[in-house]
């Protein structure tokens, strides 16, 4: 069986116009390519990306920190109630085949680093930190195109830091 | 927004003809009522229930113990790679709105008890243990009908053990 | 290096005179035998067992559901802040070499079942459920003596349910 | 009750002479100040720090990724078997009151970022990344002195990134 590609979107949980616009566009592109969006299921970039995906007819999974599926933002089709707080970030990066990181602070940085640690590729839009090994993209269209290319033909393993 | 109901199916991970037939029928009924099936994503009852749901056009989520989405059985639409071993059972029972337990050993018993502990209703088919507070059903049709009724009109909170 | 034996104590988080007296005696016996007590770190049986251990000069570890070490009861030497809610029960049963279960409701039942699932022995005092495979003891002295005997000479693997 | 201070040490799991020497000195200083060392319980910096602490008569806790306490390095007094893989890093940073990070790659970076995210102070020796908000120290003596000062008189909350 061929499963649809799963792309993770991580970024700040606070509202931020620039990041939200990028996230919404990323969500839309993910849906247009019939990929699945996985994110943390709450606010800020997570809401914007899920809204973009849903408005383009896509599918959204939210890996929630709390134990109640009703915490999910309204654009999440499939809420997962982990009850594991910050540790749920590990589930987002393990479930996604590639990560797109949009702006974000320390929480996003920890997800980026965890993804790189387990060998997942990370594509950054509006990066806040310079982390060797993170790929950059000009905009949402390029980020999602790159993400799908990496899922279809994974590069050979790189040396880890 | 109205989300589709989410029904959890738990049971043994080993192949067992009686339990598998019941699980497949439960999966089919869940799909027929347009509910979402959430399970542990691996073998035995989990595979049979997901197969039943998929063959009836339904949607399946698998909350995996390992960190690799490719561990999921082939009938899982949305694999969640928790990497948390046994502790992933907590995510299954928190994400589901009602649990249907089919046969099963100690692992299933721990999921039943965890569900009851957090106030989720549990419906048992082919129960292996007598646990006060577990609801019983004659067959898959009755189990899923009861599960949906409980999601639509949750009973008032009961005294916990 | 020889580590000291680690005995887990699980039971209700509510105050219950009969269970608390048993838990305090179990804690005391664990300390007298220079074993380490691991528990969930909160109230009820967990507080009573830790108090018994500490008053007899023992060592106590509390695996907390929350993310703040200050949630631990005052008799815990080493609080572990999991932030993982109910899923922390898996850590208690994995860390302990044998489990002593005292009274308790559904939460305790889920810990007992999880322990049996992963092949750990469980000794029950004042059991609330009849679970095949659980060992019984008359009192705290016998429970701890049996626990230490099982750690020193583990029985050959049994058939699992 | 006053608990002893808990200092987390994070860093690479691979052997690295420079990092190991620093980690051993950090472990020794932690023990000399009667603080508790918490770490990930495995190799590299984790082994070196625990060895330093134990040789100076200190106390060591290892939060293991696996489900078996026997995975811990021989200098761990209290192994905690989380079975949660990478997600165990969240437990290390939540349990420690301050983090000392020594060298390290992406895994260490993710722990640093997670600590900063939840408001814990991080002191770096031999830093591999420049992360705003991380405090620096010249050597082990200074790092542990600073860590203890931060635990005794926590600074007022800072703006988060």
């Amino acid at each position: 069986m061929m499963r649809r590609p799963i792309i993770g979107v991580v970024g700040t949980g606070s509202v931020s116009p620039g990041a939200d616009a990028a996230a919404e566009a990323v969500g839309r592109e993910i849906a247009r390519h019939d990929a699945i969006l996985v994110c943390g299921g709450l606010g800020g970039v997570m809401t914007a990306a899920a809204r973009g995906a849903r408005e383009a007819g896509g599918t959204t999974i939210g890996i929630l920190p709390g134990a109640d599926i009703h915490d999910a933002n309204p654009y999440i089709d499939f809420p997962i109630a982990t009850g594991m707080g910050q540790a749920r970030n590990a589930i987002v990066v393990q479930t996604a085949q590639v990560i797109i990181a949009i702006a974000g602070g320390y929480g996003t940085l920890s997800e980026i680093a965890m993804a790189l640690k387990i060998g997942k590729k990370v594509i950054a839009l509006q990066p806040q930190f310079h982390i060797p090994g993170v790929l950059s993209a000009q905009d949402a269209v390029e980020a999602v195109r790159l993400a799908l290319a990496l899922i279809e033909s994974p590069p050979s393993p790189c040396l880890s830091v």
Side-chain angles (χ1 to χ4, degrees), chain A:
Chain A
M1 193 205 58
M2 280 292 294
R3 269 194 204 98
R4 294 153 64 193
I6 305 178
I7 299 178
V9 175
V10 302
T12 178
S14 311
V15 172
S16 151
D20 286 1
E24 190 157 351
V26 164
R28 204 156 46 223
E29 289 302 308
I30 288 173
R32 279 185 184 156
H33 289 88
D34 204 31
I36 296 163
L37 167 69
V38 64
C39 68
L42 297 181
V45 156
M46 298 172 268
T47 291
R51 185 173 55 229
R54 282 285 294 275
E55 287 176 0
T59 301
T60 59
I61 298 175
I63 312 285
L64 300 163
D68 187 341
I69 57 171
H70 299 100
D71 295 343
N73 74 55
Y75 307 103
I76 296 298
D77 294 305
F78 304 115
I80 308 295
T82 69
M84 292 180 173
Q86 289 302 309
R88 72 84 143 78
N89 292 350
I91 305 182
V92 173
V93 303
Q94 286 163 177
T95 297
Q97 294 171 278
V98 176
I99 299 289
I100 299 177
I102 303 168
Y106 291 136
T108 304
L109 175 57
S110 94
E111 291 174 292
I112 292 171
M114 213 183 296
L116 294 169
K117 166 73 177 174
I118 62 170
K120 297 277 165 88
K121 293 291 174 188
V122 178
I123 302 160
L125 287 172
Q126 308 175 17
Q128 304 297 300
F129 301 95
H130 173 70
I131 306 300
V134 171
L135 305 169
S136 62
Q138 289 301 89
D139 57 22
V141 170
E142 190 182 281
V144 174
R145 197 185 312 141
L146 177 53
L148 290 166
L150 288 165
I151 293 173
E152 278 154 35
S153 345
S156 46
C158 301
L159 295 176
S160 66
V161 169

